[in-house]
Amino acid sequence: MIKHSATLAINEKIAQRRARGETVVHLGFGEAGIPVLPEAAEVLASAASRTDYGPVAGSEDLRTQIAGYFDRRGRATHPEQVLPAPGSKALLYALIQSLPGDVVLPRPSWVSYAAQAALAGKKTIWVDIPRDAGGVPDPGKLQHRLDEARRHGADPGILILTIPDNPTGTVAPAATVEAVCRIAAANGITIVSDEIYRDLAYDATSFCTPADFLPDRTFVTSGLSKSMALGGWRVGFARVPATDEGAAVRDELIGVASEVWSNMATPMQEAACWILSEPPEVSAHVARARTLHRSVSLGVHEIFRSAGAVARTPAAAFYQYPDLGSFETALRRRGVTGAEAVSDHLLETYGIGMLSGAAFGDDPAALRFRVATSLLYGSTTEERWRAMESADPLELPWIRSALDRLGDALADLSIDSEGADREWERV
Amino acid sequence: MIKHSATLAINEKIAQRRARGETVVHLGFGEAGIPVLPEAAEVLASAASRTDYGPVAGSEDLRTQIAGYFDRRGRATHPEQVLPAPGSKALLYALIQSLPGDVVLPRPSWVSYAAQAALAGKKTIWVDIPRDAGGVPDPGKLQHRLDEARRHGADPGILILTIPDNPTGTVAPAATVEAVCRIAAANGITIVSDEIYRDLAYDATSFCTPADFLPDRTFVTSGLSKSMALGGWRVGFARVPATDEGAAVRDELIGVASEVWSNMATPMQEAACWILSEPPEVSAHVARARTLHRSVSLGVHEIFRSAGAVARTPAAAFYQYPDLGSFETALRRRGVTGAEAVSDHLLETYGIGMLSGAAFGDDPAALRFRVATSLLYGSTTEERWRAMESADPLELPWIRSALDRLGDALADLSIDSEGADREWERV
């Protein structure tokens, strides 16, 4: 039984509560929360009459623009090396299906990798992330875990990295990526690098792809759902290595695509073409979004830190991964133990929605949570535009009140007395 | 290795030939060839600013409209019984993944079912279609094949029917559907009924769904790619039985969706909502398209029949499935044997593209072909509108010339002398 993706599930649960008139600070869903660039919507509108299927591999124009996207980021790419799809999720699934071997995952990592591996009938081998950043396995633990997995009958073949990372909002340092690549190469493992947050690294120079170290064994996926906040448009793409094996895997991906989703909707292909040509208005939109993500994510991080939570400082996108271990005793006195129960308690008592780390493969007993900050920007398009345009978005009233509510909830959470809950119920 | 879908592959091959300036009579691809209804394109254009992910199960509005689509066709449906997706292909894949057991298929049947079964790690059990219509197994052979499959270690659990049918363009008679349902029930088999061509049955009263006979065990898939010719928009939907098992399977489908494609692009959902509310302009557009499909399909059928081919009379959509067995001797003298070789010969020598029945699971030695007639309507939007509006589309010059070319090619094909080829090369 494949369960409904946890991130999508909490989003729907919170939407239902809001529909009932409840106030919820929504920190549960990785939707980028940025209004659509009007020029992009115009391009889509003008392509509305395109109803032909088109090639499974996407139009030549689109593949050329995708190749250009990688070219401009220092990695020369031929249009035959790329493949668009309705979302990078579909391509990640097809890669897991097509590449040989079981799946090695950083723990924690994005909710869907492990579920996709299960769907493809593959085992998952978890490796804890290092202390400094997520999205990569700890190089000091990787070889040991691979050996152990083999002894238990697994066949580790695919290592998925997320750079920058969801859920931790960090960017793995080059030295760590290089160390991981060296171990992958020594073990004959192929790397799938999920780089959908690449353009949202606060410091572009911090980003480093495994394709720099292992160009012939790295498959990259990306898309427009995060940088351009176009999740509902379903625009993703993959890049395969410029090798015979890369070409063979691309053929295989096209085979899976042709039997499962055919291709990206044709009007979306036209819109994606224009966006991926990266005209100045697109780059400016992404840059403004990145600045907003950074301000709010760092603001939320400061609240968690002040309250006594431990969290890596976010360096990309709109995620952070606080550890509420210091609240454990107080929570246990309330009868709340384990990450799932704390997540429910936060939603029910304080109207604060955030996903437990267990959804990302983490230890369910650890009180770690994935906090997504991008839905704080506003509940209307107008509020979101004002957040994009604000020099100090933390002082916009709707953002300020959410942050205050979070701070108050965390302060209350550390109080041992039972009276605290009743106080909140009156809010 | 999952091969690129045969129907999509021939489409791309023919597009390349045309790009080189060659004339090709394109009978190889099931794209409906009908221009977009302008009002539908306007609805999509006005939804271009929708960028949110939305629920995996689709918006409530969309599910309500899909339920209404079934309601209006005599099958009361709750919005919780339906699921939209980017194409019914994706839902067929998810159903094959989610329902227990191996897959029983009529031979021939649509190219993707068997490939999807392979992708899901399931066996395929082929059963020949009866003489009168395709899309269903011959009831007289079904039980025997099920017993035989079980003896060989298979576990037949899912029977896929296509009503109306692709590749034969026929509509299985009610008595046959009922007989098949009775055998399925006796064997504990679940039915997946692919009804994407339902609204294109030339005689609406001829259509009959297995859901009439086996309501609790029939899952239905459909979409807008054929009736509204919106293949490039990727709009499909499924209906599950109103039972606990139906609800459980729907949860499972949502699970697969959430890990593979998330959902239908949000702007497309809005467009689908409007279309599935079936305002008069939509019904009129489908009716006009159906009339055009009928005229051209019957015209092409007459050409095949006159040339000595054997083919069931098309009764729906834009397909027919001629048997060129009477040309076998003449073709063998040219050194051309087997359906694949004849298909290549027709494309290379006569510029006529049609798929061999082997692509649909049929005997590769039999000279049967899937002929799709919908791309004859024109190569421009203007030509296609003129075909839609014409009282006698067969007399439009671009359609007439394609039909004449087909007739001449078939006449030439039956000539034994080797001189024939050279004559054609000068065209």
Side-chain angles (χ1 to χ4, degrees), chain A residues 1-6 8 11-12 29-32 34 36 41 44-45 48-57 86 89-90 93 97 111-112 115-116 119 225-226 229-234 248 251-252 254-268, chain B residues 1-6 8 11-12 29-32 34 36 41 44-45 48-57 86 89-90 93 97 111-112 115-116 119 225-226 229-234 248 251-252 254-268:
Chain A
M1 167 78 194
I2 301 295
K3 273 172 43 193
H4 191 162
S5 152
L8 296 162
N11 189 47
E12 294 172 25
F29 191 51
E31 185 158 76
I34 301 294
V36 66
L44 176 59
S49 292
R50 287 288 309 275
T51 57
D52 51 308
Y53 285 91
V56 172
K89 189 186 266 185
Y93 173 67
Q97 270 269 4
V111 295
S112 286
Q116 291 181 330
L119 196 58
S225 298
K226 307 303 178 181
L230 295 172
W233 284 18
R234 315 307 306 126
D251 284 348
E252 189 98 1
I254 291 174
V256 174
S258 79
E259 303 306 358
V260 182
W261 62 80
S262 290
N263 52 18
M264 190 193 298
T266 319
M268 293 303 170
Chain B
M1 167 79 193
I2 301 294
K3 272 171 45 193
H4 190 161
S5 153
L8 295 162
N11 189 46
E12 294 172 26
F29 191 53
E31 186 158 75
I34 301 293
V36 66
L44 176 58
S49 293
R50 288 290 307 277
T51 57
D52 51 308
Y53 285 92
V56 171
K89 189 187 266 186
Y93 173 68
Q97 270 269 3
V111 295
S112 287
Q116 291 181 330
L119 195 59
S225 298
K226 307 304 178 180
L230 294 172
W233 286 17
R234 315 306 307 125
D251 284 349
E252 188 100 2
I254 290 174
V256 174
S258 79
E259 304 304 358
V260 182
W261 61 80
S262 290
N263 52 17
M264 190 193 300
T266 318
M268 293 303 171

Side-chain angles (χ1 to χ4, degrees), chain A residues 182-270:
Chain A
R182 209 175 303 123
I183 299 166
N187 287 270
I189 285 175
T190 302
I191 292 180
V192 173
S193 186
D194 178 351
E195 301 179 1
I196 198 160
Y197 299 100
R198 173 174 186 156
D199 296 335
L200 298 181
Y202 305 154
D203 171 7
T205 65
S206 71
F207 173 82
C208 139
T209 169
D212 287 341
F213 304 109
L214 225 51
D216 291 354
R217 304 188 72 100
T218 301
F219 294 78
V220 175
T221 62
S222 190
L224 299 179
S225 298
K226 307 303 178 181
S227 58
M228 284 291 286
L230 295 172
W233 284 18
R234 315 307 306 126
V235 176
F237 48 88
R239 178 191 187 277
V240 305
T243 61
D244 289 348
E245 197 220 340
V249 171
R250 183 171 174 274
D251 284 348
E252 189 98 1
L253 298 178
I254 291 174
V256 174
S258 79
E259 303 306 358
V260 182
W261 62 80
S262 290
N263 52 18
M264 190 193 298
T266 319
M268 293 303 170
Q269 293 196 35
E270 288 208 11

